[in-house]
Amino acid sequence: MEKMGATVVSNKQVLFRDYVTGFPSESDLPITSTTVSLKIPAGSTTVLVKNLYLSCDPYMRNRMRKPDPLIPATAQSFIPGKPISGFGVSKVMDSGHQDYKEGDLIWGAVGWEEYSVITPIPNLHFKIHHKDFPLSYYTGLLGMPGMTAYAGFYEICSPKKGETVFVSAASGAVGQLVGQFAKMMGCFVVGSAGTKDKVDLLKNKFGFDDAFNYKQEKDLNAALKRCFPEGIDIYFDNVGGKMVDAVILNMRPHGRIAACGMISQYNLQIPEGVYGLSLITYKRIRIQGFNAIDYFHKYSEFAEFVVPYIRQGKITYVEDVADGLETAPSALVGLFHGKNVGKQLVVVSRDLV
Amino acid sequence: MEKMGATVVSNKQVLFRDYVTGFPSESDLPITSTTVSLKIPAGSTTVLVKNLYLSCDPYMRNRMRKPDPLIPATAQSFIPGKPISGFGVSKVMDSGHQDYKEGDLIWGAVGWEEYSVITPIPNLHFKIHHKDFPLSYYTGLLGMPGMTAYAGFYEICSPKKGETVFVSAASGAVGQLVGQFAKMMGCFVVGSAGTKDKVDLLKNKFGFDDAFNYKQEKDLNAALKRCFPEGIDIYFDNVGGKMVDAVILNMRPHGRIAACGMISQYNLQIPEGVYGLSLITYKRIRIQGFNAIDYFHKYSEFAEFVVPYIRQGKITYVEDVADGLETAPSALVGLFHGKNVGKQLVVVSRDLV
């Protein structure tokens, strides 16, 4: 393979200006342009990829904080002045790695830029085998959020047929799947979201039994009591804060809370307190924090499980697509204001060549 | 058996005046006297017991609240005007139940009174087989608190040799055992308590690796960081509130919190908030509420496990003994001010006849 005289092209990037307190804004994520060689240097085992889709995920807010030795490395802070990174779908342009070759499609950790040079890591970079789905699905349904919903629901929630399930941020990348998995298992499922349109989506598109707009409810406890007169067995928590307290009040004995993420807290300098924790003793409630990365070795098991359901039309997925790397900062920032309807992603390029 | 012309004797009782807000006081628990027949009526399957020892347990505070349909029945409220109830050690005086006979020693649920008429319930009333220990141990080490420490540590904490364990209210009925179980497993164990004497007990009698007086620490986070420079794997929580936040900050990835009880919160009208809950996602922390009653069917397994250790002197137990039913209200109230050193119990009678 020709390694000499490699083409050098421009490479737009989304930089991380500096550590953020409060809500991030677009000015925290300036766009810049550098250059990249389209050839991997001889002897290197890295891989050059062209990024096609980037995934906007709430956990990324935590990577905008000052580094904290108490936070595990899976949420390592972004480096000021460098491009931010996340999950994406990419095409291999050149490879010094024996397992990857030009033209391969992959999903996994990449920089927020047009081209990335990556060092493939098992269970953090995956080859895309099912190419009959929209490639963007590998930022969501068939990517990290899909694994999050799968591991979170089946491994963390210990669900049983007939149980009652509550999902917050339920129309989001993960929530919409958790609700559908729970329905498939024969659970009674209610979701919360922040707009009427999202609530409609939950009821009419994703098959939730009921849904409410938490912004329209004066009393979350009363809303949950109305939706769950017999109490909640499982809470899939994507928001944290006040909602956790309202859920604990309405939880049945031996209830389970999967602490998937707490987006309502990420931008607060002083987080909301959870006041009803002492009830978990009497109710024998289990609250379990988890991270999909710990389950990535089960990705092929997940794909085998979910792919037939997608093909049969039994699982549906709604995406919110921003077009062009320039729109990436506003797409990511919008997530923390609930602007996205469904999985937020950014198209960097639809050009597979 | 002669059932006619039964002797009637006086029966002192500790009444529940009315639902309590804030700290309970002795006036909430007036002593009264009634009478009781020492014979069970013919045809009845109840059992008349003479109470020897009564157990003062923090969970009893929750039974002083107004009934709340959201709280499971295991913490059912006391009934105003009736005697309170709890765990005790008793001697059978007369029995209409085929499995119990005069002279049997039992431990389990009884009223706070000199004599109780009970309906034996499997796994809530146990015959005492090992009589070579102080009978009072069946209010603690060999009773409900023992089961709580056993189930809580081995079933809820998933402990492994070499892990770091923190126990709050560590010199109490449950904490002193959890610490000793953890040491037996080869863990590094630190306890907190509220006086210098209790801290000395932890270090010098119960074999904790370290201990601190939480009332003397300005910053619980700093105290935990000092004791656990590498972080905490397991927290056995008997206190709740601020301590939970400090622990979460210092917890290692995949840490476990056994939510055994939250005595610091029981008397507050507005509980303290726990602010750092969103960290449990990144740290994959599991918080599990539990109640020893769910494990009472394993009591004989527990006894088989613990009895040899007691006989070999490998487990020690400190009791705080109040003498006479008249002292029971102040003994129970004292618990919520940390007055007890070790397991608080009340001797009603040492008279086995």
Side-chain angles (χ1 to χ4, degrees):
Chain A
M1 194 176 285
E2 179 58 63
K3 297 278 176 185
M4 302 293 285
T7 317
V8 169
V9 297
S10 78
N11 186 21
K12 254 183 289 184
Q13 299 180 313
V14 177
L15 293 190
F16 182 53
R17 205 191 46 178
D18 204 352
Y19 303 120
V20 174
T21 53
F23 278 88
S25 70
E26 290 182 50
S27 64
D28 293 313
L29 301 166
I31 307 272
T32 187
S33 193
T34 176
T35 57
V36 63
S37 160
L38 291 185
K39 289 286 173 201
I40 292 293
S44 166
T45 57
T46 57
V47 175
L48 176 80
V49 299
K50 176 175 179 174
N51 296 321
L52 306 173
Y53 299 95
L54 296 175
S55 177
C56 298
D57 295 297
Y59 82 91
M60 297 172 77
R61 174 61 186 84
N62 287 296
R63 304 189 61 190
M64 298 180 192
R65 281 182 207 279
K66 255 202 193 120
D68 180 342
L70 292 169
I71 308 267
T74 43
Q76 240 163 20
S77 293
F78 296 133
I79 299 163
K82 300 273 183 189
I84 68 168
S85 58
F87 289 96
V89 175
S90 315
K91 187 191 170 203
V92 174
M93 305 294 287
D94 191 19
S95 171
H97 192 292
Q98 59 181 9
D99 298 341
Y100 291 82
K101 62 176 204 307
E102 196 183 322
D104 280 351
L105 291 169
I106 65 169
W107 75 267
V110 291
W112 274 38
E113 53 198 352
E114 292 176 288
Y115 298 90
S116 294
V117 176
I118 62 171
T119 300
I121 296 173
N123 296 326
L124 205 57
H125 295 97
F126 299 86
K127 279 201 213 175
I128 292 175
H129 298 297
H130 301 286
K131 299 177 188 172
D132 52 332
F133 300 114
L135 283 178
S136 58
Y137 273 17
Y138 290 90
T139 66
L141 170 51
L142 288 167
M144 183 277 283
M147 268 312 294
T148 303
Y150 179 71
F153 184 64
Y154 293 105
E155 307 254 350
I156 304 291
C157 294
S158 314
K160 288 188 284 292
K161 189 180 168 182
E163 288 194 317
T164 60
V165 177
F166 176 55
V167 186
S168 55
S171 69
V174 175
Q176 56 177 299
L177 287 177
V178 172
Q180 293 179 78
F181 290 160
K183 282 309 299 173
M184 278 162 43
M185 181 166 268
C187 297
F188 174 82
V189 187
V190 178
S192 65
T195 68
K196 184 181 178 303
D197 285 352
K198 294 181 188 180
V199 167
D200 289 345
L201 211 51
L202 293 176
K203 292 201 265 196
N204 303 327
K205 182 147 184 105
F206 300 130
F208 283 57
D209 295 289
D210 203 351
F212 64 88
N213 179 348
Y214 73 93
K215 290 182 180 166
Q216 297 291 317
E217 301 286 344
K218 277 187 200 141
D219 179 350
L220 293 175
N221 176 23
L224 290 172
K225 229 182 275 296
R226 183 181 76 227
C227 294
F228 295 99
E230 308 289 321
I232 301 168
D233 291 306
I234 290 171
Y235 173 41
F236 198 100
D237 182 29
N238 292 309
V239 303
K242 291 190 223 316
M243 193 64 97
V244 176
D245 260 331
V247 167
I248 289 175
L249 271 178
N250 286 282
M251 209 145 213
R252 298 169 76 163
H254 302 283
R256 290 134 266 153
I257 297 179
C260 177
M262 302 199 175
I263 194 171
S264 75
Q265 305 299 298
Y266 295 163
N267 301 294
L268 304 179
Q269 285 179 264
I270 298 169
E272 286 172 356
V274 171
Y275 294 88
L277 217 52
S278 67
L279 277 178
I280 71 171
T281 296
Y282 288 96
K283 296 192 174 190
R284 290 90 154 158
I285 291 171
R286 183 180 80 213
I287 309 178
Q288 172 83 62
F290 74 101
N291 189 315
I293 284 185
D294 297 341
Y295 300 90
F296 272 15
H297 61 284
K298 293 190 172 185
Y299 179 72
S300 59
E301 173 194 308
F302 163 62
E304 264 174 55
F305 165 84
V306 83
V307 159
Y309 287 112
I310 309 175
R311 292 219 167 102
Q312 293 158 32
K314 288 188 178 160
I315 286 184
T316 184
Y317 202 64
V318 170
E319 298 178 330
D320 195 330
V321 181
D323 227 312
L325 191 72
E326 299 78 3
T327 66
S330 84
L332 180 55
V333 166
L335 211 58
F336 302 104
H337 300 281
K339 285 196 180 158
N340 57 308
V341 178
K343 166 65 197 173
Q344 181 67 60
L345 63 103
V346 177
V347 186
V348 183
S349 170
R350 287 194 173 86
D351 177 13
L352 285 180
V353 185
Chain B
M1 194 177 284
E2 179 57 63
K3 296 278 178 187
M4 303 292 287
T7 316
V8 169
V9 298
S10 79
N11 187 21
K12 255 181 287 183
Q13 299 181 314
V14 177
L15 293 188
F16 182 53
R17 205 190 48 177
D18 204 352
Y19 304 120
V20 174
T21 53
F23 278 87
S25 69
E26 290 183 48
S27 64
D28 292 314
L29 301 166
I31 306 274
T32 186
S33 192
T34 177
T35 58
V36 64
S37 160
L38 291 185
K39 289 286 172 202
I40 291 295
S44 166
T45 57
T46 58
V47 175
L48 176 79
V49 300
K50 176 175 177 174
N51 296 321
L52 307 173
Y53 300 94
L54 296 175
S55 178
C56 298
D57 295 298
Y59 82 91
M60 297 170 77
R61 174 62 186 85
N62 287 297
R63 304 189 60 192
M64 299 181 192
R65 281 182 208 280
K66 256 202 193 119
D68 180 341
L70 293 169
I71 308 266
T74 42
Q76 238 162 20
S77 294
F78 296 133
I79 299 163
K82 299 275 182 190
I84 68 167
S85 57
F87 288 96
V89 176
S90 315
K91 187 193 170 201
V92 175
M93 306 292 290
D94 191 21
S95 171
H97 192 291
Q98 58 181 9
D99 297 340
Y100 291 81
K101 62 176 204 306
E102 197 184 322
D104 280 351
L105 291 169
I106 65 168
W107 75 268
V110 291
W112 275 38
E113 53 197 352
E114 291 176 290
Y115 298 90
S116 293
V117 176
I118 62 171
T119 300
I121 295 172
N123 295 327
L124 205 55
H125 294 98
F126 299 87
K127 279 201 215 176
I128 292 175
H129 297 297
H130 301 287
K131 298 176 190 173
D132 52 332
F133 300 115
L135 283 179
S136 58
Y137 273 18
Y138 290 90
T139 66
L141 171 52
L142 289 166
M144 183 276 283
M147 269 311 296
T148 303
Y150 179 71
F153 184 64
Y154 293 104
E155 308 254 351
I156 304 292
C157 293
S158 314
K160 286 188 283 294
K161 189 180 167 183
E163 287 194 316
T164 61
V165 177
F166 175 55
V167 187
S168 55
S171 68
V174 175
Q176 57 178 297
L177 288 177
V178 172
Q180 293 179 79
F181 290 160
K183 282 308 300 174
M184 279 162 42
M185 181 166 267
C187 297
F188 173 81
V189 187
V190 177
S192 65
T195 68
K196 183 181 177 304
D197 285 353
K198 294 181 188 180
V199 167
D200 289 346
L201 212 51
L202 293 176
K203 291 201 263 195
N204 303 327
K205 183 147 182 105
F206 300 130
F208 283 59
D209 295 290
D210 203 350
F212 64 88
N213 179 348
Y214 73 92
K215 290 181 180 166
Q216 298 291 318
E217 300 287 345
K218 277 186 200 141
D219 178 348
L220 293 175
N221 176 23
L224 290 172
K225 228 181 275 296
R226 183 180 75 228
C227 295
F228 296 100
E230 307 290 321
I232 300 168
D233 291 306
I234 290 172
Y235 173 41
F236 198 99
D237 182 28
N238 291 308
V239 303
K242 292 189 222 319
M243 192 65 96
V244 176
D245 260 331
V247 167
I248 290 174
L249 271 178
N250 285 282
M251 208 146 213
R252 297 167 76 163
H254 302 284
R256 290 133 265 152
I257 298 179
C260 176
M262 301 200 176
I263 195 171
S264 75
Q265 304 300 296
Y266 294 163
N267 300 295
L268 305 178
Q269 286 179 264
I270 299 168
E272 285 171 359
V274 171
Y275 294 88
L277 217 53
S278 68
L279 277 179
I280 71 172
T281 296
Y282 288 96
K283 295 192 176 190
R284 292 87 153 157
I285 292 172
R286 184 180 80 214
I287 309 178
Q288 171 82 61
F290 74 102
N291 189 315
I293 284 186
D294 297 341
Y295 300 89
F296 273 15
H297 61 283
K298 293 191 171 184
Y299 179 72
S300 58
E301 172 193 308
F302 163 61
E304 264 174 55
F305 165 83
V306 83
V307 159
Y309 287 112
I310 310 175
R311 293 219 166 102
Q312 295 159 30
K314 289 189 178 160
I315 287 183
T316 185
Y317 202 63
V318 170
E319 297 179 330
D320 194 329
V321 180
D323 227 313
L325 190 72
E326 298 79 3
T327 66
S330 83
L332 180 55
V333 166
L335 211 58
F336 302 104
H337 300 281
K339 286 196 178 156
N340 58 306
V341 178
K343 166 65 196 173
Q344 181 66 59
L345 63 102
V346 177
V347 186
V348 183
S349 172
R350 287 193 173 88
D351 176 13
L352 286 180
V353 185

